[in-house]
Amino acid sequence: AAIRQLEELQNSLDDARKSGSHWAMVNLAETYCPGCNKSAGEIETSGAAVVQAGGVVIEVLESTAFAAPTQTNLQQWIGKYNLPVTTVKDPDGTGTATLKALGQREQAYIIDLTTMTIYDIVQGDTSGALATSVGKAMTEMHMLLGK
């Protein structure tokens, strides 16, 4: 199941690759994680700038209370932070496939869309006290995008 989920993520990123963008950031979130909430707030304030600079930003709500999020959970997450980026969850009936395949919340993957490879994995602080995955990854995305 984990391999299938990674293949599905790669297929989704193939759509991003076809957009002509070079770099994508995929951030993993959990609704009850303080660091994830802090990261979502940073996406709210800085996500659009990365997209305008030519990057792709995808927020994945991989769990809520470590269970599969519902469509309502996803809509509440998007609305709470007015997320200006693509925000998704695993398809209904697949449980927490992303969590099982990619691991802990509050981390971001930077993907080179020209080669479809992981360029970097950025760990954030789940407590919300220190630097977040989004804060670190957005800085890296701006550098990669030359902005």
Side-chain angles (χ1 to χ4, degrees), residues 63-84:
S63 63
T64 184
F66 300 100
T70 65
Q71 187 63 32
T72 299
N73 297 139
L74 180 66
Q75 293 306 315
Q76 288 171 339
W77 186 254
I78 293 168
K80 180 177 181 179
Y81 295 104
N82 194 29
L83 295 175

Side-chain angles (χ1 to χ4, degrees), residues 9 13 22-28 102 107-113 115-124 132-141 143-144:
L9 178 59
L13 288 173
H22 188 137
W23 298 104
M25 183 191 93
V26 178
N27 191 64
L28 306 180
L102 299 179
Q107 67 179 351
Y109 288 79
I110 296 180
I111 311 294
D112 181 336
L113 295 172
T115 61
M116 296 304 287
T117 58
I118 297 171
Y119 175 79
D120 196 8
I121 301 172
V122 181
Q123 300 293 325
T132 66
S133 58
V134 167
K136 294 176 186 178
M138 290 286 186
T139 298
E140 192 167 347
M141 287 289 287
M143 181 195 69
L144 292 168

Side-chain angles (χ1 to χ4, degrees), residues 41-92:
E42 292 172 341
I43 289 175
E44 178 181 20
T45 59
S46 61
V50 170
V51 173
Q52 290 169 352
V56 173
V57 178
I58 301 169
E59 172 86 328
V60 180
L61 184 60
E62 65 178 1
S63 63
T64 184
F66 300 100
T70 65
Q71 187 63 32
T72 299
N73 297 139
L74 180 66
Q75 293 306 315
Q76 288 171 339
W77 186 254
I78 293 168
K80 180 177 181 179
Y81 295 104
N82 194 29
L83 295 175
V85 301
T86 300
T87 307
V88 299
K89 68 172 194 64
D90 290 323
D92 292 340

Side-chain angles (χ1 to χ4, degrees), residues 5-15 115-117:
Q5 184 62 24
L6 288 171
E7 289 170 354
E8 288 174 9
L9 178 59
Q10 187 171 13
N11 289 339
S12 297
L13 288 173
D14 191 46
D15 291 336
T115 61
M116 296 304 287
T117 58

